[in-house]
Amino acid sequence: LARTLNNLGNAYRTQAQLGKEPVANLARAIATYTEAATIHRQPGLERDLAETLNNLGNAYVTQAELGQEPVVNLERAMAALKEAATIRREMGLERDLAATLANLGNAYLTQAQLGKEPVANLERAIAAYTEATTTYRQPGLERELATTLNNLGNAYRTQSQLGKEPVANLEQAIAAFTEATTIFRQPGLERDLAQTLNNLGIAYRTQAQLGKDPVANLARAIAAYTEATTIRRQPGLERDLAETLNNLGIAYLTQALLGKEPVANLERAIAALTEATTIRRQPGLERDLAQTLNNLGVAYLTQAQLGQEPVANLERAIAALTEATTIRRQPGLERDLAGTLNNLGVAYRTQAQMG
């Protein structure tokens, strides 16, 4: 019965992953796994218990990612995954243990991103991912290794964003992402490669913003983003493409602000950001659209300040920034709105100074 219940839970979870009543099917999966775990607590069924607890933990993590009581569901996930890891460690089940540790790392990382003890949870995530990568370095586990390295890189990058040894943690993130991209260059892993390249680009750009070899790191970011956009031009990846184009535009804009081929880099930024706005005009992407419109407005404004078609570029800047402010007047976006209003004020002032 317990084995059947575990399989039934997997079926419910798969339905949820396919978008079929995800919250309801995950609730069914959790109930089924919980019942199976109760049965598996008999002596001699430890291995089955660990498998079911691992599945239960994953279901709780997915519920949390769907916004269902995220903090509480992540705590439940951690409890299940920790118990599974303890059993698998005692039984010497290295590969199974690595899978559970990777899942546990995901739970800790998500908790940190929700603002729950972020530094401590990121340290726990890094420890779990690091131990998992040690096992995944065995032959035949390259894909699992690359996925875990990408997650490890995200954990290090998030630590740096919290001000925790930012340069050192970014270097660790870059090392993890770089190794992951090497593995993901195998045929059939293009989507994973693009995601990791996008993450790598963000890490390089952040290094540049911290004043660490800014021109060189921005050039590396641009190279990573450019390769990612090439992959993400496949049908069905439009949202991912827009994200990378937005990041690419920011990198070009930052290069221009550093005085590196300013006019040419601003033209490249405007091209990337314009394409991103076209994609982000889909329903449900309003916040992303506002972000890109703000960046586009700043690029046009900077072009005008450099004397490039100042009248026309200021009009374009004002149009983009005005549209962004309209979107950002939604509750909860006050900080973003303030930034865009400031940029819009600069554009109007520049226009006034030109007479």
Side-chain angles (χ1 to χ4, degrees):
L1 174 60
R3 172 58 58 185
T4 304
L5 286 167
N6 186 64
N7 293 336
L8 180 59
N10 291 342
Y12 282 132
R13 202 175 82 216
T14 304
Q15 281 280 55
Q17 289 166 340
L18 292 170
K20 183 86 173 172
E21 298 180 21
V23 174
N25 273 316
L26 281 168
R28 292 177 190 121
I30 288 166
T32 308
Y33 288 140
T34 302
E35 186 179 355
T38 304
I39 298 167
H40 280 148
R41 290 192 182 279
Q42 298 172 44
L45 298 180
E46 292 81 5
R47 189 168 190 164
D48 294 328
L49 173 60
E51 181 188 356
T52 303
L53 287 168
N54 183 71
N55 294 337
L56 177 61
N58 283 338
Y60 278 130
V61 170
T62 310
Q63 276 286 47
E65 289 169 346
L66 289 171
Q68 297 294 304
E69 299 181 57
V71 173
V72 174
N73 274 319
L74 284 169
E75 285 173 356
R76 293 174 182 139
M78 287 171 197
L81 293 167
K82 282 180 190 174
E83 187 178 357
T86 301
I87 296 166
R88 286 174 162 179
R89 197 186 300 281
E90 289 172 353
M91 296 185 73
L93 303 172
E94 287 184 2
R95 291 193 180 193
D96 294 334
L97 172 60
T100 301
L101 287 169
N103 295 332
L104 185 57
N106 294 342
Y108 283 131
L109 177 57
T110 308
Q111 275 286 47
Q113 290 167 339
L114 289 170
K116 184 86 174 172
E117 298 179 29
V119 173
N121 274 318
L122 284 167
E123 286 175 357
R124 293 174 188 126
I126 288 166
Y129 288 140
T130 301
E131 186 178 355
T133 60
T134 305
T135 301
Y136 283 149
R137 291 190 184 281
Q138 295 174 31
L141 299 178
E142 292 81 8
R143 188 167 187 171
E144 289 86 349
L145 172 60
T147 300
T148 306
L149 285 167
N150 180 66
N151 294 336
L152 178 60
N154 283 333
Y156 278 127
R157 195 183 74 207
T158 309
Q159 277 285 45
S160 76
Q161 290 168 340
L162 291 172
K164 183 88 174 170
E165 299 179 34
V167 173
N169 274 316
L170 280 169
E171 286 173 357
Q172 295 274 33
I174 288 166
F177 289 139
T178 302
E179 187 178 357
T181 60
T182 305
I183 299 166
F184 281 142
R185 290 190 186 281
Q186 297 172 39
L189 301 181
E190 291 82 6
R191 291 193 179 195
D192 295 325
L193 173 60
Q195 180 191 26
T196 305
L197 284 166
N198 185 69
N199 293 336
L200 179 60
I202 293 169
Y204 279 132
R205 195 181 82 216
T206 309
Q207 279 283 49
Q209 289 168 339
L210 289 171
K212 182 88 174 172
D213 296 324
V215 173
N217 273 318
L218 282 168
R220 293 177 188 121
I222 288 165
Y225 290 142
T226 301
E227 187 178 357
T229 59
T230 305
I231 298 166
R232 287 182 158 176
R233 289 191 184 280
Q234 297 172 37
L237 299 181
E238 290 81 8
R239 290 193 179 193
D240 296 332
L241 173 61
E243 178 195 5
T244 304
L245 285 167
N246 182 69
N247 291 336
L248 179 60
I250 294 170
Y252 280 132
L253 175 58
T254 310
Q255 279 284 48
L257 293 171
L258 289 171
K260 185 80 175 174
E261 298 179 30
V263 174
N265 274 318
L266 283 167
E267 287 174 356
R268 293 174 188 128
I270 289 165
L273 293 167
T274 301
E275 186 178 358
T277 59
T278 304
I279 298 166
R280 287 181 159 177
R281 289 192 183 279
Q282 297 172 38
L285 299 181
E286 291 81 9
R287 289 193 179 196
D288 296 330
L289 173 60
Q291 178 194 37
T292 304
L293 285 167
N294 181 72
N295 296 334
L296 182 59
V298 172
Y300 279 131
L301 172 59
T302 310
Q303 276 285 49
Q305 290 168 334
L306 289 172
Q308 297 294 306
E309 299 181 33
V311 174
N313 275 319
L314 277 170
E315 287 176 356
R316 292 175 188 128
I318 288 166
L321 293 167
T322 301
E323 186 179 358
T325 59
T326 304
I327 298 167
R328 287 181 159 177
R329 288 190 188 280
Q330 297 172 38
L333 299 181
E334 291 82 5
R335 192 174 287 190
D336 295 331
L337 174 60
T340 303
L341 286 168
N342 182 68
N343 293 334
L344 184 58
V346 173
Y348 279 129
R349 191 182 70 211
T350 306
Q351 199 177 51
Q353 289 168 341
M354 288 171 53

